[in-house]
Amino acid sequence: MVNKFKTVCLTAAIASSSATFAGGLLTNTNQHVAFNRMMSREASIGIDGVYYNPAGVVFMGEGSHLAINWQMAYQTRTIKNDYKLFTNNVNNPTTPRDFKGKAFAPVIPSFQYAYNKGRWSLQGNFALTGGGGKCTFDNGLGSFEKIVGETAMGAIGLAGAIDNALGAEMFTSDQAFGKKGSYSFNSYMHGRQYYFGLSAGAAYKVNDNFSVYAGLRGIYATCNYYGYVEDIKVGNMPLYQVLDPSKENSANIELSCDQSGIGFTPMLAVDYKTGRWNFSAKYEFKTRMRLKNKSVNQLPSIGNLDDNLKNQMNKVLTAKFMQAGLPQEQAMIKAEQTSTAVLANPTVVATTAGLKQQFDSKINKAIGEYADGKKIAGDIPSLLTVGVGYSPIDELHINVGFHWFDDYNATSYNNRNKLLKKRGTLEFNAGVEYDVTKKITVSTGWQNTNYGLTDKYMDDKSFVVGSNSVGLGGVYHITKKLDFSVAYFHTFYNHVKTSETVTLAPGVSNTYNSDYTRNNNAFAAGVNITF
C-alpha cells in the first residue's frame, strides 16, 4: 500500500512543469509581443520574424534591428475528480472534488536581434522556449488522495486478516485502523520549469523574392520539484506506527529534485514574396534533451512491517494477559507465542507478502524518474510551421498559419509520448493587422490548438487539453525607428473527461472519474528599435 504513495508523489511533480504559454506540449511559440496581439506571424516580415519567419527578416531594411519584450502569464489548472472513497476523508468527505493548481510567471523576457547588410541577415534570439513558470497545488492532487483512500482500504484489510486470526479486535478497533477505511493526510506539490533558448543563424536573399535561413538554438533546461505526502492516518492510527514507531516521519514521502540539461535545435526556413503575397515555412529538428537529477528524497520502508506489527501486538497482548492475572514474564511469553502464531496464519502471510511483493516490484518505477544522479529523456519535438500573408491594401495585413509538432516521436520518460496519437499536435491560426494612422496599428488574431490526446495519456500528473486562443493589441509608432507594443491574449480551454474502473478487491470495484481543464491569461509589452 505504501509504494502506491511513492508512485503518486514522485510522478506527480510533472504536473507543475507544463508550459504556461501557447504552443506544443513542451514548446512556447509566444516569444514576441506581436504574437500575443495577432497570433499569426509566420508570414510577417518584421523583427519578430527572427523566431517566426527568420528567412523573411532579410527583406527588412539594412541596419540593426532589436526587439525587447516582457510577458506576464497567469494560469489555473483544474481537475474535478469523482471517487467514492473520497467520502472516507474525515476532513473533507465530499465527492466530486476540485483540485486546483496555480501557475504564475510575472516576468518572461525575450530578445530578438538582426543585422541586415546586403543579401545577408545575421540573427539572434533569446527566449523561454519551454516551461516558463511555477505551479503550486496547495492540497496536492486527486491522484494523491485516490491512493491515500486505497491505502486506507488496504490497511483495514490487513487489520481484518490479523484480527480474524487472533480471534479478537485489535487493529480493527476504533482506537486503531477501524473498519470504515477513514483517513486523513496532508499533501503539497510545487514545481517550476524553465527552458532557456539562445539561437543564432543567418538568412540569405537569393533574389528579390526568395530567401533561405539556417540556424542553431542551444537550450538550457532547469527544473525543480518539491512535494510531500505526510501525517497519513488511517482511522485513529498514524501510519508510521506500523512502519517505524520510533520515527514519526517514517511514513512520510518527500520529493526534492533539481533537474538540468542541455540540448541543441537545428533550424531551416524559407520565404517567398511576390506582389502583395508572402509565403514562408520553417522546420525545427527534434531537440534531444537528457535531464540530470540532483535529488534528496525521503521514502518510507515497508521492510520492517512484520516486526513492527509483532511489537505492537506484543505490547497489547502482554497488557491484556497481565490484566487476566498472569505474571508479567508469563504474559510476555504468551503474547510472543500468540503474535507469532497470528503472523504465521496463511491469510495474514499472504496479505503481508502481497504488499511486500508489490512494493519490491514497483519501487524502481516509483523512484525512477527522480532518482538522484539519473538522466531522463525530455526531448523537445520537431516543429513545422507554414504561413501565408496577404495585403489587399498597404494598411491591411492578413495572415494565416499552421503548426505541426511531432510529439509522438519526442522521447519522454518511460516513452509516455507513445501514448499520444501519431499525428502529433496541430495548430491553426489567423490574424489581421491594420494601420489606423501612421502612428497607430491595431491587430487581433485567433489560434486553435489540437493535441493528439488519448485517454491513456491523460492524468493529473501531466495533462494538456485542446484550446482556442484570442489575442489583441496595438503598436504606437513613436518614431520611424522606435515602436512600442502592448498585447493581451486569453485561452479558452476545452474539457476532457475520462473514466477508470479501479478494482479494490476481487469483486469490489469503484469508478474514478476525471474532468480536466485550464484557464490562461497573458499580458505583454515591448519595443522594437532600428539603428
Side-chain angles (χ1 to χ4, degrees):
M1 57 186 174
V2 181
N3 61 303
K4 291 183 180 180
F5 269 117
K6 297 172 69 173
T7 303
V8 170
C9 185
L10 294 172
T11 58
I14 198 65
S16 303
S17 67
S18 301
T20 59
F21 296 140
L25 296 177
L26 200 61
T27 306
N28 289 341
T29 55
N30 47 330
Q31 298 189 19
H32 188 281
V33 181
F35 174 87
N36 295 51
R37 63 182 174 83
M38 192 175 174
M39 308 303 290
S40 183
R41 298 294 299 178
E42 291 73 28
S44 293
I45 295 177
I47 186 58
D48 62 290
V50 171
Y51 174 72
Y52 300 103
N53 180 20
V57 175
V58 74
F59 292 115
M60 297 177 66
E62 290 198 352
S64 294
H65 307 271
L66 174 66
I68 303 172
N69 307 279
W70 161 85
Q71 295 185 64
M72 177 179 69
Y74 177 77
Q75 184 180 103
T76 59
R77 307 170 193 181
T78 303
I79 311 103
K80 177 177 287 188
N81 295 125
D82 188 6
Y83 195 41
K84 185 178 180 180
L85 294 188
F86 285 175
T87 59
N88 292 335
N89 185 333
V90 296
N91 295 320
N92 188 1
T94 60
T95 187
R97 186 95 51 77
D98 283 347
F99 295 87
K100 292 186 177 181
K102 298 178 181 179
F104 181 52
V107 179
I108 303 297
S110 64
F111 306 90
Q112 290 82 34
Y113 174 78
Y115 175 70
N116 288 4
K117 183 67 174 179
R119 291 184 176 272
W120 289 93
S121 174
L122 304 180
Q123 305 170 23
N125 179 50
F126 173 81
L128 283 171
T129 58
K134 304 175 181 179
C135 186
T136 300
F137 288 82
D138 289 325
N139 297 311
L141 296 165
S143 55
F144 280 49
E145 183 160 351
K146 174 178 179 289
I147 304 302
V148 174
E150 292 170 2
T151 298
M153 297 302 292
I156 65 171
L158 177 59
I162 292 174
D163 286 4
N164 286 337
L166 181 63
E169 188 177 83
M170 180 182 293
F171 289 107
T172 57
S173 69
D174 290 339
Q175 290 72 40
F177 290 139
K179 302 175 183 177
K180 300 178 180 179
S182 60
Y183 62 85
S184 63
F185 72 109
N186 292 315
S187 66
Y188 172 85
M189 195 67 237
H190 174 84
R192 66 167 170 79
Q193 182 190 66
Y194 294 101
Y195 278 51
F196 297 100
L198 179 63
S199 66
Y204 179 71
K205 188 190 302 181
V206 179
N207 54 46
D208 290 343
N209 301 97
F210 182 67
S211 62
V212 295
Y213 167 89
L216 182 69
R217 179 187 300 123
I219 297 175
Y220 173 70
T222 174
C223 314
N224 170 265
Y225 310 114
Y226 176 75
Y228 58 77
V229 178
E230 62 182 16
D231 301 330
I232 305 161
K233 182 184 288 188
V234 179
N236 286 306
M237 177 176 282
L239 194 60
Y240 78 87
Q241 290 186 4
V242 295
L243 296 183
D244 187 349
S246 66
K247 298 178 181 179
E248 292 189 6
N249 66 347
S250 62
N252 292 351
I253 305 99
E254 183 176 340
L255 167 69
S256 182
C257 178
D258 290 304
Q259 293 180 334
S260 61
I262 295 175
F264 297 93
T265 310
M267 299 173 290
L268 299 173
V270 295
D271 186 272
Y272 178 75
K273 59 193 298 289
T274 176
R276 293 187 174 275
W277 291 88
N278 193 62
F279 305 88
S280 72
K282 181 183 70 168
Y283 185 76
E284 298 184 0
F285 291 82
K286 182 176 74 173
T287 307
R288 184 183 186 275
M289 292 289 293
R290 295 298 179 267
L291 303 174
K292 186 172 182 179
N293 296 341
K294 285 187 176 182
S295 308
V296 182
N297 303 325
Q298 176 185 323
L299 306 172
S301 174
I302 199 172
N304 295 324
L305 180 61
D306 285 335
D307 290 339
N308 289 323
L309 287 172
K310 188 173 184 179
N311 290 336
Q312 290 277 342
M313 294 177 67
N314 285 344
K315 290 178 183 179
V316 175
L317 291 173
T318 297
K320 179 181 178 180
F321 293 148
M322 288 179 65
Q323 289 176 358
L326 285 179
Q328 182 177 4
E329 184 175 349
Q330 293 183 20
M332 292 176 65
I333 293 173
K334 187 174 181 180
E336 174 75 18
Q337 293 172 342
T338 303
S339 60
T340 298
V342 167
L343 293 175
N345 178 277
T347 301
V348 175
V349 170
T351 303
T352 54
L355 292 174
K356 291 179 181 179
Q357 183 179 12
Q358 188 183 41
F359 181 88
D360 292 337
S361 65
K362 293 186 178 181
I363 187 170
N364 184 60
K365 179 181 178 181
I367 67 174
E369 187 171 0
Y370 302 99
D372 184 48
K374 188 171 185 177
K375 287 187 177 181
I376 65 167
D379 291 350
I380 298 175
S382 57
L383 167 63
L384 172 68
T385 70
V386 178
V388 178
Y390 177 64
S391 296
I393 58 176
D394 292 343
E395 295 82 11
L396 180 63
H397 310 279
I398 301 170
N399 285 3
V400 294
F402 168 75
H403 303 159
W404 173 63
F405 300 87
D406 188 14
D407 300 305
Y408 182 82
N409 291 307
T411 306
S412 60
Y413 182 71
N414 276 347
N415 286 314
R416 186 166 179 258
N417 51 294
K418 296 303 182 181
L419 298 178
L420 294 163
K421 294 179 181 178
K422 290 185 178 181
R423 68 166 175 81
T425 298
L426 306 178
E427 285 188 328
F428 301 88
N429 60 46
V432 59
E433 186 174 56
Y434 182 69
D435 298 327
V436 180
T437 68
K438 291 183 178 180
K439 287 288 187 179
I440 298 175
T441 298
V442 296
S443 58
T444 187
W446 156 86
Q447 178 169 277
N448 173 266
T449 301
N450 190 334
Y451 300 103
L453 301 175
T454 65
D455 287 348
K456 290 183 178 180
Y457 184 87
M458 296 297 294
D459 64 60
D460 60 0
K461 292 173 286 297
S462 178
F463 78 90
V464 291
V465 292
S467 63
N468 285 279
S469 297
V470 178
L472 56 89
V475 184
Y476 180 63
H477 307 284
I478 300 173
T479 69
K480 290 183 178 180
K481 295 187 176 183
L482 179 62
D483 294 337
F484 174 71
S485 301
V486 294
Y488 164 77
F489 86 78
H490 179 78
T491 302
F492 300 89
Y493 287 94
N494 301 333
H495 283 257
V496 175
K497 298 180 180 181
T498 63
S499 184
E500 171 191 358
T501 299
V502 181
T503 301
L504 301 175
V508 180
S509 63
N510 281 331
T511 302
Y512 182 71
N513 297 314
S514 302
D515 184 339
Y516 305 90
T517 192
R518 296 189 180 197
N519 184 61
N520 187 72
N521 294 278
F523 302 87
V527 293
N528 295 340
I529 307 169
T530 299
F531 52 92

